[in-house]
């Protein structure tokens, strides 16, 4: 079989048209619009279902009310009596931060137990208060501008309950900060009380030892220089012991901090290592060295001679330089500490939220600070030990009795100074206990909200609308990909098939003109209303059949088409209607035309054209020649119709089929139509007619079409838009190609322009839009998107 030249190739070779990039883009857009309009019912259904569901869901939701209380924190303030941040001691600390508080709030169950206990008590006295509460509470930083404030936000379906929850949580949190501060001070007070008792006993023992020595030895006492030396050594030893106590508490604090870090994240050490961390460590060493130099210059305030005025001035200058360096290093530590928190927050990875990350960063920063302090304490203790050893060497030069008295006096003075040191801290702690208000206060109570905060029914509906649209379009794409039916001519061209004609869907026209009736009377015969070429020769469909007639005549250059076979891939695709209308257009062109109904299984031509079933093809093949006058019709003087012929003795009459048995006119239609007699009949008819059109069964349903295609000059295969499957059409073409049939092209039948939105201009001559193709009384059917389609017409 010769490969038919496609419309695109023929157009390019003849200069008819060519594709440009802009046309390609337009075509892609048209294809998208085609698909969306073709699958509009799927999109509308999904849109309606999802939007309706979201609407119903939105009306089932109760409105939620949102409110919040604001809490101000004084985290950098030392507890009352502590003397402020600069006076911080190992007994009174102030290293809490906003992130620390957030972490504690989110994880401390004690606050939640307190709130629930209060709510339960309130519900017992007031039935309107629900227990357990029907609401949620969230703790967040108040804002970036307020870095020392917390926001307690509550959401509930009841406005009063939302305000009550936020206020109770705020109150209980403030109360807990007071309890925590007082508890810490209580523990410090108990510790200092124990230390005071211990130091008092030590002082008493030391005083008694001095008194006994004086009584036994009748000693007169130490010289003035000896007294001074003993006082200096005792002062240094007292300072050293206080430093030892400080170191002990710092180490305990570091141990607690390290346990908290390991409990939150075992991989914290690797997570925290950074350039900032290393710089903090370097500054730690720098501060430790500067502190050691400073203490060396000061001589630990021993009160010994300071030398000449020039030496004093030099030491003062050195101290000023060291103090400036210490201040710069400490300022850099504070700056790096803030950067460190931001760096860890940005890194994440702990898995407990921003508050947990910030809490860990604060703990890590506190460890660095404590480590710096510990190294400074160690340096001070080392220097004090060296100074004490030096002074002890000077003290050993006095006589033996005085030396023993000096030792006893030193122990008494050391015990006395330590006792006074502990008593002073005990008094400060006691004052702090009595006046400690906590480090949090409620800045603003949560008001009762008057308007709901959500959920918004409009937002829910909008989301449902978008989801429904997205779902509908998605389903439309899936359905279109799974749908292998042919809807428009370009689908055939994309498969390298020649589109020989496009016939519009005639159902709207039949419904409009004939009220949807299948048959009407014409010239005394009852004919099918689908015979538009004779019933309404000026209609768009009639013009399409005339286009088809022209295409058939010039389909094979150099070859006169005298016998034309019309078939389809599957049943009910309109091949019989196409064959009848094409035969009528041939006859109207003054060509002597014969229409043969070769579908001996389900003949249709006699019904369409208002003819009797017999005599027909069966009689011609079995009984011999029939008079051609018996086949002439009243529709056109040049048209002759040869029906399928009479039934054999099988009980069927016309198209009345019963019992579910497949109707047939002969026992073996394929043998009859493939016989030599059939070839002889066709050859004889060629001499009597200008055009012979043969209507055959579908290719995939029976073999007759394939057999007769070898005896025809040309073959047309009819495809029904929206019904014929691509695979069926390809299979049919393969069968015809296997026997060498001259397939001149595929005709697209029942083309619906509404299913091919993008082709409203390209195929206007085939559809109901051609302004030259309307017959008398026929109205224009506007596209669905035109305003006039929806406007009222008088």
């Amino acid at each position: 079989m010769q490969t038919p030249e496609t419309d695109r190739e023929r157009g390019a070779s003849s200069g008819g048209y060519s594709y440009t990039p802009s046309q390609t883009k337009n075509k892609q857009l048209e294809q998208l619009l085609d698909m969306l309009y073709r699958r509009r019912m799927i999109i509308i259904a999904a849109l309606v279902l999802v939007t309706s569901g979201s609407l119903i869901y939105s009306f089932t939701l109760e409105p939620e009310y949102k409110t919040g209380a604001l809490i101000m924190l004084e985290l950098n303030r030392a507890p009352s009596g502590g003397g402020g941040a600069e006076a911080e001691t190992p007994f009174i600390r102030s290293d809490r931060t906003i992130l620390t508080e957030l972490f504690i709030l989110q994880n401390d169950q004690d606050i939640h137990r307190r709130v629930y206990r209060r709510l339960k008590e309130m519900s017992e006295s007031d039935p309107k208060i629900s227990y357990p509460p029907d609401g949620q509470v969230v703790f967040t930083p108040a804002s970036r501008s307020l870095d020392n404030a917390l926001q307690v936000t509550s959401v509930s379906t009841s406005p009063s309950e939302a305000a009550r929850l936020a206020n109770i949580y705020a109150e209980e949190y403030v109360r807990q900060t007071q309890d925590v501060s007082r508890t810490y001070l209580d523990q410090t007070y108990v510790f200092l009380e124990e230390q005071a008792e211990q130091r008092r006993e030590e002082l008493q023992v030391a005083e008694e030892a001095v008194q006994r020595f004086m009584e036994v030895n009748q000693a007169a006492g130490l010289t003035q220089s000896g007294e001074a030396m003993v006082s200096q050594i005792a002062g240094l030893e007292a300072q050293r012991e206080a430093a030892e106590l400080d170191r002990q508490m710092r180490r305990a604090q570091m141990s607690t901090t390290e346990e908290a870090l390991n409990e939150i994240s075992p991989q914290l050490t690797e997570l925290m290592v950074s350039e900032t961390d290393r710089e903090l460590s370097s500054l730690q060493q720098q501060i430790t060295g500067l502190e050691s130099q400073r203490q060396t210059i000061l001589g630990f305030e021993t009160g010994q001679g300071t030398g000449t005025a020039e030496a004093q001035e030099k030491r003062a200058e050195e101290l000023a330089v060291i103090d400036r360096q210490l201040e710069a290093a400490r300022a850099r530590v504070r700056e790096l500490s803030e950067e460190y928190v931001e760096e860890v927050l940005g890194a994440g990875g702990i898995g407990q939220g921003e508050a947990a990350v910030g809490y860990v960063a604060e703990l890590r920063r506190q460890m660095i600070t404590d480590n710096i302090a510990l190294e400074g304490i160690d340096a001070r203790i080392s220097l004090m030990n060296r100074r004490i050893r030096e002074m002890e060497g000077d003290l050993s030069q006095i006589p033996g009795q005085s030396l023993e008295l000096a030792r006893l006096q030193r122990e008494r003075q050391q015990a006395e100074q330590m006792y006074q040191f502990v008593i002073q801290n005990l008094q400060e702690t006691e004052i702090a206990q009595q006046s400690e208000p906590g480090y949090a206060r409620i800045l603003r109570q949560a008001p009762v909200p008057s308007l709901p905060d959500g959920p918004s029914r409009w937002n829910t509906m909008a989301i449902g609308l978008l989801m429904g649209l997205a779902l509908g379009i998605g389903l439309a794409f899936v359905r279109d990909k799974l749908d292998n039916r042919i809807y428009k001519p370009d689908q055939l061209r994309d498969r390298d098939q020649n589109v020989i004609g496009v016939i519009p869907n005639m159902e709207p026209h039949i419904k409009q003109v004939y009220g949807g009736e299948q048959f009407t009377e014409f010239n005394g015969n009852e004919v099918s209303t689908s015979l538009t070429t004779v019933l309404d020769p000026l209609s768009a469909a009639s013009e399409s059949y005339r286009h088809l007639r022209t295409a058939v005549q010039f389909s094979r250059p150099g070859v006169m088409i005298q016998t034309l076979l019309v078939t389809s891939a599957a049943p009910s695709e309109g091949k019989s209607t196409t064959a009848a209308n094409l035969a009528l257009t041939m006859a109207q062109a003054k060509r002597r035309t014969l229409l043969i109904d070769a579908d001996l299984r389900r003949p249709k031509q006699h019904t369409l054209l208002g003819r009797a079933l017999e005599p027909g093809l069966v009689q011609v093949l079995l009984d011999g020649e029939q008079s051609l006058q018996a086949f002439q019709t009243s529709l056109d003087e040049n048209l002759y119709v040869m029906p399928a012929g009479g039934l054999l003795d099988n009980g069927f009459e016309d198209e009345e089929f019963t019992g579910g048995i497949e109707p047939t006119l002969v026992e073996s239609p394929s043998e009859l139509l493939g016989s030599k007699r059939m070839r002889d009949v066709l050859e004889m008819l060629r001499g009597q007619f200008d055009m012979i059109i043969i209507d055959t069964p579908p290719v995939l349903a029976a073999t007759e079409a394939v057999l007769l295609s070898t005896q025809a000059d040309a073959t047309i295969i009819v495809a029904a838009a929206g019904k014929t499957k691509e695979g069926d059409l390809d299979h049919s073409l393969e069968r015809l190609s296997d026997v060498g049939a001259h397939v001149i092209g595929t005709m697209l039948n029942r083309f619906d322009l509404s299913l091919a939105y993008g082709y409203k201009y390209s195929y206007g001559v085939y559809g109901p839009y051609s302004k030259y193709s309307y017959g008398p009384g026929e109205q224009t059917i506007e596209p669905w998107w035109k305003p006039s389609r929806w406007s009222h017409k008088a």
Side-chain angles (χ1 to χ4, degrees):
M1 183 188 77
Q2 298 177 355
T3 303
E5 186 181 20
T6 64
D7 287 356
R8 188 175 304 173
E9 294 169 345
R10 191 160 49 247
S13 62
S14 62
Y17 60 84
S18 61
Y19 284 95
T20 64
S22 61
Q23 288 175 326
T24 302
K25 292 180 181 179
N26 291 336
K27 181 181 178 182
Q28 292 174 351
L29 178 60
E30 289 172 352
Q31 288 176 343
L32 175 61
L33 294 175
D34 291 348
M35 186 278 296
L36 293 178
Y37 187 70
R38 186 164 57 247
R39 308 299 177 189
R40 62 189 181 278
M41 297 309 299
I42 295 178
I43 298 175
I44 293 173
L47 192 62
V48 170
L49 287 176
V50 177
T51 304
S52 301
S54 64
L55 181 62
I56 295 172
Y57 174 73
S58 67
F59 278 97
T60 61
L61 293 176
E62 294 186 52
E64 293 182 343
Y65 296 85
K66 183 178 181 180
T67 186
L70 189 64
I71 302 175
M72 185 64 68
L73 305 177
E74 299 179 53
L75 299 172
N76 295 325
R77 176 192 62 81
S80 299
E86 297 298 327
E88 182 177 313
T89 72
F91 306 105
I92 303 173
R93 300 178 60 88
S94 59
D95 52 12
R96 302 175 79 96
T97 66
I98 188 76
L99 293 172
T100 304
E101 294 306 304
L102 276 176
F103 183 77
I104 292 173
L105 275 170
Q106 293 172 358
N107 294 274
D108 190 357
Q109 295 299 319
D110 187 50
I111 296 178
H112 302 289
R113 283 194 293 268
R114 290 185 179 200
V115 171
Y116 274 66
R117 190 183 304 118
R118 281 189 58 182
L119 287 172
K120 185 175 182 182
E121 293 172 357
M122 294 170 66
S123 65
E124 291 173 354
S125 58
D126 187 354
K128 295 181 180 179
I129 298 177
S130 61
Y131 179 83
D134 182 20
Q136 297 179 347
V137 177
V138 178
F139 304 92
T140 57
S143 66
R144 293 188 177 273
S145 59
L146 292 175
D147 57 355
N148 59 340
L150 285 175
Q151 178 83 21
V152 184
T153 305
S154 175
V155 179
S156 176
T157 55
S158 168
S160 58
E161 180 171 302
R164 182 167 50 249
L165 270 178
N167 289 326
I168 291 178
Y169 265 98
E171 292 168 5
E172 290 302 324
Y173 168 66
V174 170
R175 187 176 302 171
Q176 176 156 321
T177 64
Q178 297 171 349
D179 293 345
V180 168
S181 298
R182 292 194 183 106
T183 300
Y184 185 71
L185 291 172
D186 289 344
Q187 294 173 351
T188 304
Y189 186 82
V190 171
F191 173 76
L192 291 175
E193 270 193 325
E194 295 174 353
Q195 289 291 318
E197 183 64 28
Q198 179 182 345
R199 298 303 176 180
R200 184 166 49 249
E201 292 177 357
E202 291 177 355
L203 177 59
Q204 185 177 355
V205 171
E207 287 178 343
E208 291 175 354
V210 170
Q211 187 177 0
R212 282 196 304 271
F213 182 83
M214 295 289 289
E215 291 176 353
V216 171
N217 297 286
Q218 297 297 317
L222 296 174
T223 62
Q224 185 177 359
S225 61
E227 285 285 351
M229 192 176 299
V230 168
S231 296
Q232 291 176 13
I233 296 175
L236 285 173
E237 288 179 333
Q239 292 180 30
R240 181 182 63 183
E241 192 165 347
E244 288 283 359
L245 186 58
D246 191 357
R247 179 167 63 180
Q248 178 183 350
M249 295 195 68
R250 293 280 184 182
R251 284 178 175 171
Q253 177 66 24
M254 284 188 67
S255 177
T256 303
T257 304
E258 189 173 359
E259 289 177 2
L261 285 173
N262 292 331
E263 185 175 341
I264 293 174
S265 177
Q267 294 83 20
L268 187 62
T269 303
E270 296 180 5
L271 179 64
M272 294 298 183
V273 174
S274 66
E275 290 296 330
T276 305
D277 201 1
R278 285 189 281 272
E279 188 174 351
L280 281 170
S281 300
S282 176
L283 285 170
Q284 167 187 338
Q285 297 174 3
Q286 181 182 347
I287 292 173
T288 301
L290 290 172
E291 287 282 2
S292 299
Q293 294 178 33
R294 189 175 188 279
Q295 293 297 333
T296 302
I297 294 173
L298 287 175
F300 301 99
E301 301 177 355
T302 59
Q304 65 182 26
T306 55
T308 64
E310 184 180 350
Q312 292 180 25
E313 184 178 352
K314 183 178 179 180
R315 284 196 296 273
E317 291 176 357
E318 291 176 354
L319 281 175
V321 173
I322 291 174
D323 286 342
R324 286 195 297 270
Q325 293 176 348
L326 279 172
E327 179 61 28
R330 287 170 179 155
R332 180 58 179 162
V333 167
R334 289 192 294 270
E335 181 183 343
L336 286 176
S337 296
E338 297 300 326
E339 293 179 5
Y340 190 78
V341 174
E342 295 297 329
E343 183 178 318
V344 177
L345 284 174
I350 296 178
Q352 298 186 31
E354 181 178 341
V357 178
Y359 178 58
V360 168
E362 291 297 333
L363 292 178
R364 180 66 174 170
R365 183 174 62 180
Q366 186 58 46
M367 284 189 65
I368 294 174
T369 305
D370 287 340
N371 200 26
I372 292 175
L374 276 176
E375 292 194 5
I377 293 171
D378 290 342
R380 288 172 54 201
I381 291 175
S382 178
L383 289 172
M384 283 188 284
N385 286 334
R386 186 167 64 251
R387 185 60 180 160
I388 289 171
R389 286 194 298 271
E390 292 174 357
M391 297 183 70
E392 284 178 343
D394 296 338
L395 189 63
S396 64
Q397 302 300 321
I398 64 176
Q401 187 177 8
S402 298
L403 180 62
E404 180 63 22
L405 179 60
R407 184 185 65 79
L408 294 174
Q409 288 283 14
R410 187 178 75 180
E411 290 178 355
R412 184 188 64 76
Q413 290 184 24
Q414 176 191 355
E416 183 179 7
Q417 290 182 21
M418 280 302 300
Y419 177 68
Q420 291 175 355
F421 173 75
V422 173
I423 289 297
Q424 180 184 357
N425 281 280
L426 183 63
Q427 291 172 350
E428 292 176 354
T429 305
E430 185 176 8
I431 294 172
Q433 274 183 312
Q434 296 172 359
S435 59
E436 175 57 42
Y439 52 85
R441 62 187 177 89
I442 298 177
L443 188 64
R444 185 190 67 207
Q445 291 277 347
V448 177
S450 57
L451 296 175
D453 183 69
S456 172
R457 289 191 174 96
W458 291 110
N459 289 342
T460 305
M461 290 175 60
I463 293 173
L465 188 67
L466 292 176
M467 290 179 62
L469 186 62
L471 178 63
I473 292 176
L475 291 175
F477 271 104
V478 172
R479 181 68 181 89
D480 204 65
K481 290 296 182 181
L482 296 177
D483 189 0
N484 61 352
R485 290 177 293 178
I486 294 173
Y487 289 93
K488 49 195 174 185
D490 270 20
Q491 286 180 269
L492 297 172
R493 289 194 176 92
D494 291 341
R495 307 179 72 80
D496 293 329
Q497 296 178 20
N498 180 37
V499 181
I500 197 169
V502 179
I503 307 300
N505 183 17
M506 291 186 288
E507 289 183 4
H509 175 75
I510 294 173
K511 185 176 181 181
Q512 182 180 13
V513 178
Y514 303 104
E517 294 293 332
Q518 295 185 2
F519 298 95
T520 185
E521 186 176 347
F522 182 81
N523 288 347
N525 295 323
E526 188 175 354
V527 299
S528 172
T529 54
S530 63
L531 297 181
T532 181
T533 52
V534 67
L535 296 177
D536 196 354
L538 297 180
S539 66
S542 298
E543 186 64 27
S544 299
Y545 280 115
R546 286 190 281 272
H547 277 285
L548 177 61
R549 178 187 65 191
T550 303
V552 170
Q553 290 173 342
F554 297 96
S555 60
R556 296 184 64 188
V559 177
M560 176 180 287
I561 305 298
Q562 191 174 6
T563 56
L564 176 67
L565 184 139
V566 179
T567 185
S568 63
S572 303
E573 294 183 347
K575 62 174 183 60
S576 297
T577 301
T578 299
N581 279 290
L582 183 57
L584 282 167
T585 60
M586 292 288 184
Q588 289 167 358
K590 307 303 180 182
R591 301 186 66 182
R592 187 178 172 87
T593 304
L594 173 64
L595 173 61
I596 300 176
D597 191 350
D599 189 351
L600 303 184
R601 300 173 186 269
R602 291 195 173 186
K604 295 292 290 292
Q605 294 298 340
H606 66 287
T607 304
L608 296 175
L609 298 167
R611 303 279 297 178
L613 181 60
E614 55 181 335
L617 179 61
V618 173
Q619 281 70 33
V620 170
L621 293 177
L622 297 179
D623 300 337
E625 294 186 3
Q626 296 285 332
S627 172
L628 292 179
Q629 296 302 321
F631 302 134
Q632 191 171 15
T633 69
S634 61
L635 300 178
D636 192 286
E637 61 180 358
N638 293 313
L639 178 64
Y640 294 79
V641 177
M642 183 182 294
L647 295 171
L648 298 182
D649 294 332
N650 53 9
F652 300 118
E653 294 182 3
D654 198 24
E655 289 186 328
E656 297 295 330
F657 309 130
T658 59
I661 304 174
E662 180 68 21
T664 181
L665 298 178
V666 294
E667 295 179 355
S668 301
S670 58
E671 282 77 2
L672 182 62
L673 295 179
S675 63
K676 182 178 182 301
R677 174 61 179 165
M678 181 65 185
R679 290 195 295 272
D680 293 342
V681 168
L682 285 177
E683 188 63 30
M684 178 267 296
L685 294 174
R686 282 174 180 270
Q688 302 181 45
F689 292 95
D690 300 323
M691 174 62 70
I692 301 172
I693 298 176
I694 307 172
D695 179 16
T696 66
V699 175
L700 300 181
T703 188
E704 289 92 294
V706 176
L707 290 173
L708 291 175
S709 66
T710 60
Q711 304 178 42
D713 298 328
T715 297
I716 294 177
I717 186 165
V718 177
K723 184 178 186 302
T724 302
K725 297 179 180 180
E726 294 174 347
D728 291 347
L729 184 60
D730 291 342
H731 194 189
S732 301
L733 290 171
E734 288 177 6
R735 287 192 176 182
L736 293 171
S737 176
D738 289 342
V739 297
H742 298 287
V743 179
I744 59 175
T746 304
M747 193 211 75
L748 186 61
N749 191 32
R750 302 172 190 164
F751 176 59
D752 189 347
L753 194 61
S754 66
L755 298 182
Y757 171 85
Y759 297 89
K760 55 185 176 294
Y761 300 114
S762 301
Y763 298 101
V765 294
Y766 300 128
Y769 302 122
S770 176
K771 61 184 179 180
Y772 300 109
S773 305
Y774 293 97
E778 187 176 357
Q779 299 179 4
T780 301
I781 303 175
E782 295 287 352
W784 64 273
W785 44 266
K786 285 293 185 69
S788 58
R789 177 73 179 268
W790 306 102
S791 61
H792 176 73
K793 293 183 179 181

